[in-house]
Amino acid sequence: MRTLEHPSPADFDLDAVLSALADPVRRMIVCQLADGHQDQACIAFALPVGKSTSTHHFRVLREAGIIEQRYQGTAILNSLRAADLDTRFPGLLAAVLASARGPVSPR
Amino acid sequence: MRTLEHPSPADFDLDAVLSALADPVRRMIVCQLADGHQDQACIAFALPVGKSTSTHHFRVLREAGIIEQRYQGTAILNSLRAADLDTRFPGLLAAVLASARGPVSPR
DNA sequence: CCGTTTGTACGAACACCTTCGTACTACGAC
DNA sequence: GTCGTAGTACGAAGGTGTTCGTACAAACGG
């Protein structure tokens, strides 16, 4: 079985996390994960880039500690490491997610 | 009198703000501003880069809407636009500042 | 075994970002 | 007017990041 490297919360780096979240494609991934796309394969995400570019972005997110990736067959199940992020950078993910939702949509 | 362009909160762009905050030198500036360096000249900040590079970083922060710059003589007074940022991206600046203070330093 | 699906590795192209040095401008003080 | 201070403009160098296409590997199903 193939496994993937994940940093532990103590090794999270603010630079890496902010750089990761600064890219629009990666924010799309994070937003879709937060919108109930938990445990979906990379291919299930709607992204405006090719397959190898997609791989690249998922890896950047994983190496920053923002997502967890688990092999299941030939696919990878992706999930947000919301709790881990919050222990190290409290409120950061929530603020970025809320900001990414659009200007001010009180619904 | 020279004036400098500042975006209004409605024009703030999450991409620009996160990209700006993703750079370590710019986070130093923001942290020093939050640490009571309000209304200080650019030259008063402790930064590990040359003068022209410093100018570049201050401009990036200003154009993202993170700081306000006001001429006073030959100097520029810099201040954090904390309130403006908070209306557009609530909690974002606070979360980044708290995260930048170091892992977990309850003092 | 063979084919399909899912993702990776690799290299190349291209753009952008950070950094610097030098020359310059604007303002204030003398 | 002249000088010093604070910051800008400009160009160049070097690194890094995003993107793609193509070729490849790993797991599953029949």
Side-chain angles (χ1 to χ4, degrees), chain A residues 1-2 23 26 49-50 52-53 56-57 73-74:
Chain A
M1 179 54 114
R2 290 171 290 176
D23 182 273
R26 289 193 288 264
V49 294
S52 44
T53 304
H56 163 69
H57 287 304
T74 72

Side-chain angles (χ1 to χ4, degrees), chain A residues 81-104:
Chain A
R81 298 182 65 182
D84 285 342
L85 275 173
D86 228 51
T87 62
R88 192 70 165 63
F89 305 127
L92 183 57
L93 180 62
V96 172
L97 281 173
S99 300
R101 301 296 179 179
V104 175

Side-chain angles (χ1 to χ4, degrees), chain A residues 6 23 28 31 48 51 62-64 73 76 84 89-90 96 99:
Chain A
H6 290 80
D23 182 273
M28 282 186 209
C31 285
K51 205 167 54 156
R62 171 170 46 82
E63 292 179 344
I76 283 181
D84 285 342
F89 305 127
V96 172
S99 300

